[in-house]
């Protein structure tokens, strides 16, 4: 791709002028350029819904995220919760306490799928149940919101894509950042040439507190009497009842997908949305178990490097991801895109755009040096410190999680489409899952993102 800095800068500035209608300029915090405000509010407008548009939902997997997803779904006007399924008595009792005795509860998800009064289900079980319940739900005529990662292994993806195609149901994966104002703005800025030619992206997650690194509390009454263990392990290796394997499932490869499936997948989803990418073609991971020797089968420090090939949507670029569960700084998540003319730091609620400026130098000492060296000033540009423009969601913004749920419900009502469908979800999950394969095999993995197939190298 030919670089043309001045043209892309002009293109970006022109685009900026035409898009400021969608974003309101706020107070100018850093006046880098007199004519360009350095702070904008991002706004979101929601369409009203009709009186006959009620959507009845059920929740399958009523733990932390399922409960959160349902709380958010019930904020969307016209959504009603009818039923909840979970394998642990305590979660079903909590669901009734939270949402009322009228909701139907069961430990058997097929009882949910058989009900005619349910239009759509949220699936928030551990990862090893996503594929089977999603496929069964769509074939039972239900729309599906399935938590990330869409599948537990690369081999499981095509069945979900097939079920979505065959049934025509609205299927959305739950990497909620994809629907956020921050991701939308980053997508628009990249397209407008704001950072020039993309060449590098990086992201990380830093955690430290035991609960953040998957040492969840185990309820006092946890036992084979209160937990349907037989069902839990019915699609993986059979083992005797183990509370840790049930309540701290992320630490075990039979049920969870490690740091990459849990966290990298969010960054892949956002990155692919922002860049319109289908994914990397080379994946390499390394890491280790450095601290949390609590019986977990997965590393607590993981690094991934990824090569993205040139496509019609973007130039070739490299991605570096890392996740550290023993990070003394803790609590940070980060996504940055770097281009030939600047960079963007992206969150769900904001984008900070930094753009370097090059000008002909007017420094007399520098000019004198050039003169002595026999060079003219016009051929030598000086890079100035970056100008910075911040785009922040306006106060009261309902957030990426709301927008993601709202997009799903709106698509159900309008027979419409969602961005993070089965193909998108698979393209985000596959490189994350291949990180695990790379880590355990100590070898790079090769992937054809367009055709969604593994490539075997001799
Ligand atoms: N999008 C996000 O930001 C986000 C955040 C956290 C978790 N998640 C995802 O949500 C899912 C759930 O994670 P969590 O943290 O809520 O876990 P959790 O352990 O808190 O909840 C899982 C629940 O599923 C139930 N369950 C297990 N197997 C079941 C089955 N076959 N049928 C019905 N219920 C079953 C368990 O009893 C438990 O209550 C995971 O896939 C995770 O990756 C997404």
């Amino acid at each position: 791709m030919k670089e043309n800095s001045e043209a892309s800068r002009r293109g970006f500035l022109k685009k900026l002028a035409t898009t400021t209608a969608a974003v309101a300029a706020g107070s100018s915090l850093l006046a880098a350029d007199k004519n360009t405000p350095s702070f904008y509010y991002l706004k979101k407008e929601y369409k009203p819904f009709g009186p006959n548009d009620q959507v009845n939902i059920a929740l399958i997997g009523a733990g932390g995220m399922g409960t959160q997803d349902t709380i958010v779904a019930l904020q969307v006007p016209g959504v009603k919760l009818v039923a909840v399924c979970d394998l642990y008595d305590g979660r079903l009792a909590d669901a009734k306490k939270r949402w009322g005795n009228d909701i139907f509860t069961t430990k058997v998800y097929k009882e949910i799928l058989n009900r005619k009064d349910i239009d759509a289900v949220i699936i928030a079980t551990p990862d090893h149940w996503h594929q089977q319940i999603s496929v069964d739900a769509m074939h039972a005529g239900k729309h599906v919101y399935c938590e990330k990662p869409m599948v537990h292994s690369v081999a499981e993806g095509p069945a979900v894509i097939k079920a979505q195609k065959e049934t025509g149901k609205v299927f959305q994966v739950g990497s909620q950042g994809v629907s956020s104002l921050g991701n939308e703005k980053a997508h628009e800025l990249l397209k407008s040439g704001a950072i020039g030619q993309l060449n590098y992206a990086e992201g990380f997650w830093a955690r430290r507190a035991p609960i953040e690194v998957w040492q969840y509390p185990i309820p006092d009454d946890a036992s084979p009497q209160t937990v349907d263990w037989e069902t839990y392990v019915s699609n993986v290796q059979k083992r005797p009842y183990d509370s840790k394997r049930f309540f701290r499932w992320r630490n075990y490869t039979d049920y969870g997908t490690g740091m990459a499936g849990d966290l990298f997948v969010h960054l892949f989803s956002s990155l692919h949305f922002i860049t319109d990418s289908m994914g990397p073609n080379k994946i390499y991971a390394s890491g280790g178990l450095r601290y949390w020797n609590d019986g977990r089968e997965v590393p607590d420090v993981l690094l991934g490097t990824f090569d993205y090939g040139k496509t019609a949507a973007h130039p070739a670029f490299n991605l570096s991801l890392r996740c550290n569960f023993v990070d003394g700084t803790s609590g940070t998540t980060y996504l940055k895109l770097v281009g030939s003319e600047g960079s963007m730091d992206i969150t769900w609620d904001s984008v900070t755009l930094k753009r370097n400026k090059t000008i002909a130098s007017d420094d007399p000492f520098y000019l004198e040096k050039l003169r002595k060296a026999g060079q003219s000033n016009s051929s030598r540009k000086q890079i100035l410190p970056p100008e910075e423009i911040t785009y922040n969601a306006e106060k009261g913004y309902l957030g990426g999680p709301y927008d993601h749920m709202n997009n799903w419900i709106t698509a159900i009502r309008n027979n419409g489409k969602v961005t993070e469908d089965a193909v998108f979800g698979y393209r985000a999950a596959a490189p994350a899952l291949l990180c695990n394969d790379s880590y355990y095999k100590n070898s790079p993995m090769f992937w054809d993102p367009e055709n969604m197939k593994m490539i075997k190298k001799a």
Side-chain angles (χ1 to χ4, degrees), residues 60-66 85-88 91 124-127 129-130 133 147-149 174 176 232 246 249-250 262 266:
I60 301 174
M65 197 60 201
C85 168
D86 200 277
L87 297 184
Y88 166 54
R91 296 264 155 83
T125 61
D127 308 344
W129 275 101
H130 289 181
I133 302 179
E147 266 306 336
K148 45 48 57 176
Q176 59 277 59
Y232 183 67
F246 189 81
W249 56 268
R250 280 176 170 82
D262 201 44
H266 278 298

Side-chain angles (χ1 to χ4, degrees), residues 59-69 84-92 106-109 123-130 133 145-150 173-177 205 207 214 216 226-228 231-235 246-250 255-258 261-263 265-266 348 401 404:
L59 168 62
I60 301 174
M65 197 60 201
T67 301
Q68 200 47 42
D69 283 339
V84 172
C85 168
D86 200 277
L87 297 184
Y88 166 54
D89 286 340
R91 296 264 155 83
L92 295 177
T106 175
K107 285 186 178 166
V108 184
Y109 75 83
I123 300 171
T125 61
D127 308 344
H128 70 301
W129 275 101
H130 289 181
I133 302 179
Y145 183 103
C146 177
E147 266 306 336
K148 45 48 57 176
M150 184 177 95
V173 181
S175 271
Q176 59 277 59
W205 296 75
R207 293 182 172 180
W214 310 343
Y216 304 115
T226 56
V227 168
D228 181 351
T231 298
Y232 183 67
V233 295
S234 61
N235 61 357
F246 189 81
F247 290 98
R248 297 179 178 175
W249 56 268
R250 280 176 170 82
Y255 331 108
T257 47
D262 201 44
L263 298 171
V265 71
H266 278 298
W348 294 353
H404 205 48

Side-chain angles (χ1 to χ4, degrees), residues 123-430:
I123 300 171
T125 61
D127 308 344
H128 70 301
W129 275 101
H130 289 181
Q131 187 227 36
Q132 189 174 335
I133 302 179
S134 293
V135 170
D136 289 350
M138 285 189 273
H139 281 299
K142 312 299 179 201
H143 304 288
V144 171
Y145 183 103
C146 177
E147 266 306 336
K148 45 48 57 176
M150 184 177 95
V151 286
H152 183 256
S153 69
V154 170
E156 287 183 352
V160 182
I161 294 173
K162 185 164 173 266
Q164 190 199 323
K165 268 197 194 133
E166 280 173 5
T167 63
K169 292 288 137 189
V170 181
F171 176 87
Q172 179 172 258
V173 181
S175 271
Q176 59 277 59
V178 162
S179 297
S180 67
L181 277 175
N183 278 203
E184 264 178 33
K185 188 68 200 171
H187 178 254
E188 182 194 314
L189 286 169
L190 185 69
K191 276 254 160 332
S192 70
I195 63 167
Q197 182 176 315
L198 175 69
N199 53 58
Y200 175 71
E202 67 180 349
F204 68 76
W205 296 75
R207 293 182 172 180
R208 181 70 176 83
I211 195 143
E212 289 176 346
V213 306
W214 310 343
Q215 282 195 343
Y216 304 115
I218 295 176
D220 291 342
D221 71 347
S223 78
Q225 281 68 53
T226 56
V227 168
D228 181 351
W229 175 258
E230 291 308 311
T231 298
Y232 183 67
V233 295
S234 61
N235 61 357
V236 289
Q237 188 187 333
K238 310 282 173 290
R239 298 171 196 267
Y241 174 79
D242 183 338
S243 288
K244 279 193 183 172
R245 284 182 168 268
F246 189 81
F247 290 98
R248 297 179 178 175
W249 56 268
R250 280 176 170 82
N251 296 310
Y252 305 94
T253 54
D254 272 357
Y255 331 108
T257 47
M259 296 166 125
D262 201 44
L263 298 171
F264 283 5
V265 71
H266 278 298
L267 298 176
F268 281 118
S269 302
S270 285
L271 180 72
H272 292 182
F273 171 74
I274 293 164
T275 59
D276 291 318
S277 180
M278 288 184 275
N281 41 38
K282 182 177 171 192
I283 293 124
Y284 179 73
S286 94
L289 186 58
R290 309 294 176 209
Y291 181 82
W292 296 102
N293 291 302
D294 51 7
R296 70 183 61 202
E297 298 169 345
V298 291
D300 54 16
V301 176
L302 189 71
L303 311 174
T305 56
F306 310 87
D307 294 359
Y308 281 73
K310 181 180 185 313
T311 68
H314 59 72
F317 68 95
N318 292 90
L319 168 69
S320 153
L321 295 180
R322 71 188 149 98
C323 194
N324 186 346
F325 277 5
V326 211
D327 188 317
T329 64
S330 187
T332 339
T333 309
Y334 180 79
L335 177 61
K336 187 187 200 84
L337 265 61
V338 179
S340 53
E341 292 174 37
S343 71
M344 286 193 281
D345 292 330
I346 302 152
T347 74
W348 294 353
D349 293 345
S350 71
V351 181
T352 304
L353 171 66
K354 293 175 188 157
R355 291 169 52 80
N356 282 108
K357 283 199 291 188
T358 54
I359 55 155
S361 177
D362 57 0
D363 176 342
F365 297 104
Y366 180 66
L367 292 178
E368 183 56 19
K369 249 199 221 163
L370 284 184
R371 198 187 57 75
K372 282 190 181 149
Q375 288 177 13
S376 85
N377 186 27
S378 60
S379 64
R380 293 292 294 264
K381 301 274 183 185
Q382 188 189 22
I383 293 198
L384 293 181
E387 64 184 18
E388 196 168 300
I389 304 176
T390 304
Y391 301 85
N392 258 349
E394 64 178 350
K395 278 205 185 72
Y397 170 50
L398 295 169
Y402 179 86
D403 286 349
H404 205 48
M405 205 50 90
N406 189 49
N407 287 352
W408 180 55
I409 299 288
T410 304
I412 292 171
R413 284 179 175 144
N414 302 341
N415 217 359
K417 291 203 182 315
V418 289
T419 301
E420 204 177 350
D421 62 6
V423 166
F424 187 106
Y426 187 41
R427 286 186 171 138

